């Protein structure tokens, strides 16, 4: 069974997807955003996800699911949560500040998790008051369609917390993998490396974006090519992860100049309408 009461800090695409997953599993979910407008937008985003789910599965009661969701701006609403997942942008200082605010209102038995895709769980745990009850829960975008959740067991994480997290992930109908804390964990380290090399190939004129992606989807049976995946994840997100991994692991993760230019130009992928592909044409 999932936790009875789940909190999500951040109601963007990832946070809304995480909230949606726990709602479908039967949990009561509270989503906290920075201001009222953002909280309303998060609520609308999740409501639309619930609507699409009920269209696909007539056995779901959309009204009952929506009734278990609340949104707000005050982290004090997390006071009764069994699990809170931080899902703010991939910035170490921002995440540390967000986690500290949440931790201050949690009960001693609640579990706190970060959805970070690259920042060291041990680094984030160093400033936690209850590091034994802190771990990484790395969901993948888009959350509803993704079958995987990466559970990151930090040096101080209690084994019982990791075991409980495994059960929670399975209750969502997803498959957990457990990795020890390491820069980029398993998924981001491998996925970003492939994506960065694909960007370098495009930058060098080796092949078009579509042909580079076709090489992986047709030749290696990847469901989505590395450049289209980067568009879906967000070029700004990939850049942030690459910079973090470059600091930790060296120049092999140095972001290509093409990636930096595209982010600076606002070409962020699907969320901006344009990246390596024109998403306006596909919508």
């Amino acid at each position: 069974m999932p936790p009875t009461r789940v909190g999500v800090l951040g109601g963007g695409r990832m946070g809304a997807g995480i909230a949606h997953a726990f709602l479908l599993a039967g949990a009561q979910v509270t989503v906290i955003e920075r201001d009222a407008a953002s909280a309303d937008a998060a609520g609308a985003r999740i409501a639309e996800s619930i609507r699409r789910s009920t269209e696909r599965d007539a056995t779901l009661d959309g009204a009952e699911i929506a009734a278990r969701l609340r949104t707000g701006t005050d982290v004090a609403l997390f006071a009764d949560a069994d699990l809170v997942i931080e899902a703010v942008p991939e910035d170490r200082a921002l995440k540390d500040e967000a986690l500290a605010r949440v931790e201050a209102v949690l009960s001693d038995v609640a579990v706190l998790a970060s959805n970070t895709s690259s920042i060291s769980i041990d680094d984030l745990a160093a400033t936690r008051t209850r590091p034994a009850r802190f771990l990484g829960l790395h969901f993948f975008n888009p959350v509803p369609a993704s079958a995987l959740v990466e559970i990151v067991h930090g040096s101080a994480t209690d084994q019982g917390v990791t075991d409980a997290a495994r059960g929670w992930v399975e209750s969502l109908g997803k498959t957990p993998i457990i990795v020890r804390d390491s820069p980029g964990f398993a998924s981001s380290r491998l996925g970003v490396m492939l994506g960065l090399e694909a960007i370098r190939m495009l930058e060098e004129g080796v092949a078009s974006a579509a042909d580079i992606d076709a090489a992986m989807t047709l030749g290696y049976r990847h469901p989505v090519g590395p450049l289209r995946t980067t568009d879906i994840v967000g070029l700004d997100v990939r850049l942030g992860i690459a910079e973090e991994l470059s600091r930790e692991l060296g120049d092999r993760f140095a972001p290509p100049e093409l990636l930096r230019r595209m982010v600076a130009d606002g070409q962020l992928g699907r969320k901006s309408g344009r990246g390596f592909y024109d998403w306006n044409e596909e919508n």
Side-chain angles (χ1 to χ4, degrees), residues 172-250:
L172 304 179
K174 300 185 185 298
T175 299
I177 62 169
I178 298 177
V179 301
R180 70 174 180 84
D181 186 48
S182 178
F185 317 131
S187 60
S188 292
R189 191 162 167 177
L190 290 170
V192 169
M193 177 60 78
L194 178 60
L196 294 178
E197 190 59 27
I199 296 169
R200 291 188 190 99
M201 290 170 65
L202 183 65
E203 189 174 47
E204 294 166 7
V206 173
S208 68
D211 285 350
I212 291 169
D213 278 352
M216 301 311 296
T217 58
L218 301 178
Y220 288 84
R221 298 187 179 182
H222 288 201
V224 183
L227 295 173
R228 184 173 288 270
T229 297
T230 299
D231 269 8
I232 293 170
V233 170
L235 275 71
D236 53 336
V237 175
R238 275 280 162 96
L239 176 59
I241 295 170
E243 288 176 334
E244 179 72 20
L245 292 178
S246 180
R247 284 191 292 269
E248 296 289 339
L249 298 173

Side-chain angles (χ1 to χ4, degrees), residues 3-7 78 80-84 107 109-112 133 168:
T4 302
R5 295 171 295 275
V6 176
F78 290 151
D80 64 347
D82 304 304
L83 166 68
V84 174
S107 72
V109 296
V111 173
L112 180 60
R133 303 197 67 76
W168 295 337

Side-chain angles (χ1 to χ4, degrees), residues 131-148:
R133 303 197 67 76
F134 176 67
L135 78 169
L137 283 179
H138 177 206
F139 288 77
F140 290 77
N141 186 26
V143 176
S146 175
L148 177 68

Side-chain angles (χ1 to χ4, degrees), residues 14-83:
M14 286 302 301
I18 294 168
H20 172 257
F22 278 101
L23 284 166
L24 291 190
Q28 300 172 38
V29 178
T30 299
V31 177
I32 297 300
E33 262 288 0
R34 61 184 180 275
D35 53 47
S38 298
D40 290 344
R45 193 174 292 117
I46 298 165
E48 175 60 18
S49 293
I50 294 171
R51 184 191 65 77
R52 290 197 298 267
S53 292
T54 57
E55 285 182 350
R56 291 190 297 268
D57 185 350
T59 66
L60 295 174
D61 184 338
E64 186 277 331
I65 295 171
R68 288 188 274 102
L69 171 68
R70 64 177 174 176
T71 61
T73 60
D74 188 351
V75 294
L77 293 174
F78 290 151
D80 64 347
D82 304 304
L83 166 68

